[in-house]
Amino acid sequence: MLFVSLAAAGIVLGSGLAIAQIPAPARPVALSDALPIPDAPAPKVSKAWVLLDAATGQVLAGDNIDTPVEPASITKVMTSYVIAAEMAAGKVKRDDPVLMSEHAWREGGAATDGSYSGFEVNKTAPLVEMEKGMVVQSGNDAAIALAEHVAGSEEAFAQLMNAYAKKIGMRNSHFVNPHGLSTEGHVSTAHDLALLGRALIHDFPEAYSYNKLKEFTVGPITQPNRNLLLWRDASVDGIKTGHTSRAGYCLMASAKRGDQRLISVVMGDTSENQRAVDAQALLNWGFRFYESHRLYDVGKSLATPKVWKGAADVVKVGVAQPLLVSTPRGKYEHLKASMDLPKSLVAPIAKGQRLGTVKVMFDGKPVAQAPLVALEAVEEGGFFKRLWHELLMWWQG
């Protein structure tokens, strides 16, 4: 990941400060940098697809990214997220005994002709083992058993799924069950699913790590992970496949090369192999032609606007979270940033108080923005200073 200085982003301050000059590129400009980026290798048959930069959340390429489609077993990534979140909240534990109920066994077991884990009916297994059976083997029975354990029923668990989906920012998704078998009203989008994968990787890395297991054994049955990219590309470490007759072949894949992580989602492909081929092509294209930039770190002062009526005359402002963007390789000098700050800041100002916004543009298009906060507190000045500043503010106003 590249680190770009304040000047490199061409900062313009709303308060009227001068435009910072763009320095020379951090690396020599290659001949290929001047060439246009070729179109992304779009899957030829899929219903929807997207390529997302995991660090920034930016969409690098896609088609029908916000069109609702059936997510099939990629649904289980949402199930994993809910379980991990409820575990973090202390509501369930990794060694909880989870019962493979008769309902879970009948609705999602071997007799259903769908993916199953192999846990015995009316017997328990530790939650973490049941979850691996759901993630690696895509066990529908394990997904139902886990939902019943966490929330009492599939219906109640689906309410949790939708609540967490809203929190993640999945705007066009609605979940009805924990496994992804075709059900009326059970939909998501390529974009939403990529955001979900990003959230699982960031929020619950241990739960995400189960997705790179190539096989899992329950009793005498060993089943392989259906994500073929785990065998084809060492940089791929997840995440989930899906297939039903209505949804087609689906794959959410994630890979990390160096400091850069990308997530591809292909929905409604024609075969198990084709979804892997299409996902691999998107990942290769993204790593070849795009890079992530870390523009501003937490605690770094980006500006010192004037403060009225304060013990100090200025306040340092910066970002509360690192601000990252994605650009075509060799093009970071095309970034421009502006700060939207009030013309008048009046003390007292608390440390961490939001004061404005920094916005980043690439070739005239917005690519990122973040709140600007006070990096220090500014207390009120003395009585006479406040009175004097009051007169000056009146005069200037």
Side-chain angles (χ1 to χ4, degrees):
M1 185 174 295
L2 299 183
F3 289 80
V4 181
S5 68
L6 177 64
I11 277 292
V12 186
L13 294 184
S15 56
L17 297 183
I19 298 175
Q21 296 300 311
I22 297 173
R27 62 175 176 81
V29 177
L31 178 62
S32 63
D33 290 340
L35 300 177
I37 293 178
D39 293 338
K44 295 180 180 179
V45 180
S46 69
K47 300 174 183 176
W49 61 274
V50 72
L51 181 68
L52 189 86
D53 186 307
T56 66
Q58 286 177 238
V59 173
L60 305 183
D63 187 40
N64 295 326
I65 67 172
D66 293 317
T67 301
V69 294
E70 291 194 20
S73 282
I74 298 181
T75 296
K76 292 169 181 136
V77 180
M78 187 76 247
T79 301
S80 288
Y81 190 93
V82 173
I83 294 167
E86 293 294 284
M87 191 182 301
K91 297 178 181 179
V92 294
K93 298 179 180 178
R94 58 181 289 118
D95 57 353
D96 279 356
V98 176
L99 176 68
M100 177 57 68
S101 69
E102 185 169 343
H103 169 73
W105 179 74
R106 290 189 181 279
E107 294 297 318
T112 64
D113 198 30
S115 302
Y116 67 97
S117 65
F119 290 102
E120 293 185 59
V121 64
N122 291 325
K123 292 189 177 181
T124 64
L127 183 147
V128 66
E129 296 299 300
M130 189 73 75
E131 184 173 1
K132 289 176 182 177
M134 176 189 72
V135 171
V136 181
Q137 301 168 327
S138 200
N140 297 323
D141 52 349
I144 297 172
L146 287 162
E148 291 176 338
H149 178 79
V150 172
S153 69
E154 290 185 79
E155 293 76 16
F157 188 82
Q159 293 180 41
L160 287 178
M161 296 172 77
N162 289 317
Y164 279 110
K166 183 177 181 180
K167 182 178 179 182
I168 292 168
M170 302 171 68
R171 299 180 179 179
N172 298 295
S173 298
H174 183 260
F175 297 99
V176 179
N177 62 56
H179 42 70
L181 293 176
S182 295
T183 306
E184 190 66 30
H186 187 91
V187 294
S188 188
T189 70
H191 190 193
D192 279 359
L193 293 174
L195 293 176
L196 169 60
R198 180 185 185 227
L200 183 65
I201 292 166
H202 178 270
D203 298 345
F204 306 111
E206 181 181 357
Y208 175 71
S209 70
Y210 304 155
N211 293 274
K212 68 181 179 183
L213 298 174
K214 292 184 177 180
E215 62 180 28
F216 189 66
T217 300
V218 176
I221 303 173
T222 298
Q223 297 186 66
N225 195 315
R226 292 171 173 80
N227 183 358
L228 299 181
L229 293 186
L230 294 175
W231 283 266
R232 299 179 182 180
D233 185 341
S235 69
V236 172
D237 55 10
I239 181 171
K240 190 73 187 74
T241 62
H243 172 255
T244 66
S245 58
R246 283 167 49 174
Y249 289 86
C250 309
L251 173 59
M252 182 201 299
S254 181
K256 185 177 182 182
R257 300 181 187 174
D259 292 329
Q260 188 178 17
R261 178 180 287 279
L262 300 179
I263 299 171
S264 66
V265 179
V266 177
M267 307 298 292
D269 221 325
T270 55
S271 70
E272 185 174 340
N273 180 66
Q274 192 60 48
R275 68 187 176 190
V277 170
D278 289 339
Q280 180 78 80
L282 287 171
L283 292 171
N284 287 343
W285 177 86
F287 284 118
R288 167 60 184 85
F289 294 109
Y290 280 84
E291 57 192 0
S292 304
H293 304 275
R294 190 183 186 98
L295 295 185
Y296 315 125
D297 276 319
V298 175
K300 181 180 178 64
S301 177
L302 303 185
T304 52
K306 179 178 178 58
V307 176
W308 296 96
K309 303 182 183 181
D313 292 326
V314 297
V315 61
K316 294 179 180 178
V317 300
V319 292
Q321 299 291 333
L323 180 59
L324 305 100
V325 299
S326 303
T327 68
R329 289 192 178 276
K331 304 291 186 182
Y332 80 79
E333 68 272 17
H334 290 221
L335 292 171
K336 303 293 181 183
S338 63
M339 288 187 185
D340 185 8
L341 287 167
K343 292 183 178 180
S344 297
L345 295 174
V346 181
I349 296 174
K351 182 178 181 179
Q353 179 178 332
R354 180 169 182 171
L355 301 177
T357 304
V358 57
K359 299 178 181 179
V360 183
M361 311 286 285
F362 180 81
D363 282 347
K365 298 179 181 179
V367 292
Q369 68 176 40
L372 286 171
V373 300
L375 300 180
E376 57 193 359
V378 179
E379 305 295 336
E380 282 189 326
F383 172 76
F384 289 106
K385 186 174 186 179
R386 297 199 310 272
L387 179 61
W388 176 240
H389 278 198
E390 183 72 34
L391 291 172
L392 289 176
M393 290 175 70
W394 174 82
W395 178 259
Q396 292 186 7

